[in-house]
Amino acid sequence: MSLAFTAFNQIMIMFFIIIVGVICYKTKLIDKDANKKLADLVLMVVNPLVIFISYQREFDKELLKGLLISLLLALITHIFGILITLLLLRSRQHEKVVLERFAVVYSNCGFIGIPLVNGIFGSEGVFYLTAYMTIFNLVVWTHGAITVSGKTDKKSIIKALLSPSVIATVSGFVLFVLGILIPKPIYEAVNYIAGMNTPMAMLVAGATIAQTDIKKLIMKVRIYYVALLKLIVLPIAVLLIFSMFNISRIVLLTLVLAAACPTAATINLFALRFGKDYKYASEMFAVTTILCSITIPIVMIIANYITG
């Protein structure tokens, strides 16, 4: 129960910052352009530094083993999610169903995942979460881009491989394996910037949610079905399957938590980029982000019970 309470407490902290983001947007302190720039700053600078700093620790074979296991489990989780959406999400409205499938498979493991995992499991949890984020970046710009656009975008795939998050993961991993620690002044500077991740990411989430019509969302039953698959079905299925194997508890719970995060903010960017229904994408992002404050503690209660 303590794990669920810790998750709920962390989500409440994030939720209150999200409310501040909503207020900032409604009072025009943050507009659409400013929100996009803040999102870019988090994605391109802050998130990568959070990832990099999580690798700044003494080399340990057990940590390396856990990281490699996390990579494998993250890949299996994404493949499993893709299969679930193909079976359970069907519709004559092809443009909407591709967005729904994307919404279920891809988690907001950067914006929501990093501050949540860091708050519950600390830097070791973030260390394992980088494996999930690496797989996310590789799969979202291949399968995700193809799913939404209907065509292969080679430039986007190459861009994903050279994204700051991937570069931070690779460089951080190399320094970890070689046992190289950066000088303390640099470490402290990077750590200060990394500490901005939670407030900035939640402000962006709040400003994004503020742009949707909440009243209309309440009437859209289909979105709740998508949210159920994303927030409950997928993470619980992953938990039940992986708990049958001898996997480190923190590795397993970090993976489940990443899978239980709401829909990735990338869905909004892809919908705009490929000319899809941007409003519907934003609605799914908003609903899953709001509901995760209830569903993540539920998933953690179940996870705590199963893993003991």
Side-chain angles (χ1 to χ4, degrees):
M1 187 64 72
S2 60
L3 181 62
F5 179 78
T6 303
F8 180 76
N9 184 61
Q10 187 64 25
I11 289 171
M12 285 299 98
I13 293 171
M14 293 161 60
F15 183 70
F16 287 127
I17 302 175
I18 286 174
I19 292 175
V20 174
V22 172
I23 294 172
C24 287
Y25 184 82
K26 292 296 184 181
T27 56
K28 298 183 180 179
L29 285 174
I30 299 176
D31 58 17
K32 288 183 179 180
D33 290 335
N35 194 45
K36 187 178 183 305
K37 288 180 180 179
L38 283 174
D40 287 341
L41 183 61
V42 175
L43 285 171
M44 306 300 285
V45 179
V46 183
N47 264 1
L49 291 181
V50 173
I51 293 170
F52 178 82
I53 209 72
S54 71
Y55 281 95
Q56 283 294 291
R57 56 180 69 237
E58 296 292 337
F59 177 76
D60 185 293
K61 289 183 179 180
E62 286 302 311
L63 284 175
L64 179 59
K65 179 183 176 182
L67 185 69
L68 295 176
I69 291 174
S70 296
L71 279 169
L72 177 61
L73 297 184
L75 179 60
I76 294 172
T77 299
H78 280 85
I79 293 173
F80 184 65
I82 292 169
L83 294 176
I84 284 180
T85 59
L86 291 175
L87 290 172
L88 301 180
L89 283 173
R90 299 174 181 273
S91 173
R92 292 181 179 179
Q93 294 179 295
H94 179 70
E95 182 175 309
K96 286 193 173 183
V97 81
V98 295
L99 289 175
E100 290 170 351
R101 288 172 177 171
F102 186 100
V104 173
V105 175
Y106 299 103
S107 290
N108 207 341
C109 52
F111 273 142
I112 305 293
I114 286 179
L116 191 55
V117 169
N118 192 45
I120 298 174
F121 301 118
S123 61
E124 185 178 349
V126 176
F127 179 78
Y128 295 132
L129 182 64
T130 59
Y132 194 95
M133 293 179 64
T134 300
I135 297 299
F136 168 88
N137 276 296
L138 294 175
V139 181
V140 78
W141 285 100
T142 50
H143 168 267
I146 293 170
T147 297
V148 178
S149 67
K151 58 184 180 181
T152 304
D153 188 343
K154 293 182 179 179
K155 288 184 178 180
S156 294
I157 295 172
I158 295 172
K159 188 176 180 180
L161 295 174
L162 297 176
S163 70
S165 292
V166 174
I167 292 172
T169 300
V170 173
S171 59
F173 175 77
V174 170
L175 293 183
F176 168 69
V177 173
L178 295 177
I180 298 174
L181 299 177
I182 60 177
K184 189 173 181 180
I186 298 176
Y187 176 90
E188 292 295 339
V190 171
N191 204 34
Y192 275 127
I193 298 173
M196 297 190 297
N197 184 71
T198 299
M200 288 187 66
M202 295 309 101
L203 285 174
V204 170
T208 302
I209 290 172
Q211 298 173 48
T212 62
D213 191 332
I214 302 297
K215 292 181 181 178
K216 289 183 179 180
L217 283 183
I218 297 174
M219 306 303 293
K220 295 188 177 182
V221 179
R222 175 79 175 183
I223 288 182
Y224 294 104
Y225 173 61
V226 174
L228 176 67
L229 294 178
K230 174 73 199 80
L231 301 173
I232 297 292
V233 175
L234 179 58
I236 293 300
V238 166
L239 171 65
L240 293 174
I241 292 171
F242 292 152
S243 62
M244 293 187 293
F245 300 92
N246 185 25
I247 300 170
S248 164
R249 188 169 186 266
I250 189 171
V251 170
L252 175 59
L253 292 179
T254 297
L255 181 90
V256 171
L257 196 54
C261 283
T263 296
T266 315
I267 192 172
N268 301 318
L269 302 176
F270 274 19
L272 282 171
R273 178 173 187 146
F274 300 120
K276 302 300 180 182
D277 192 338
Y278 171 74
K279 283 189 176 182
Y280 191 54
S282 296
E283 287 169 351
M284 287 188 288
F285 170 78
V287 168
T288 56
T289 300
I290 293 169
L291 291 181
C292 80
S293 62
I294 300 171
T295 58
I296 289 179
I298 291 174
V299 170
M300 287 296 100
I301 288 173
I302 298 171
N304 195 47
Y305 176 76
I306 291 176
T307 62

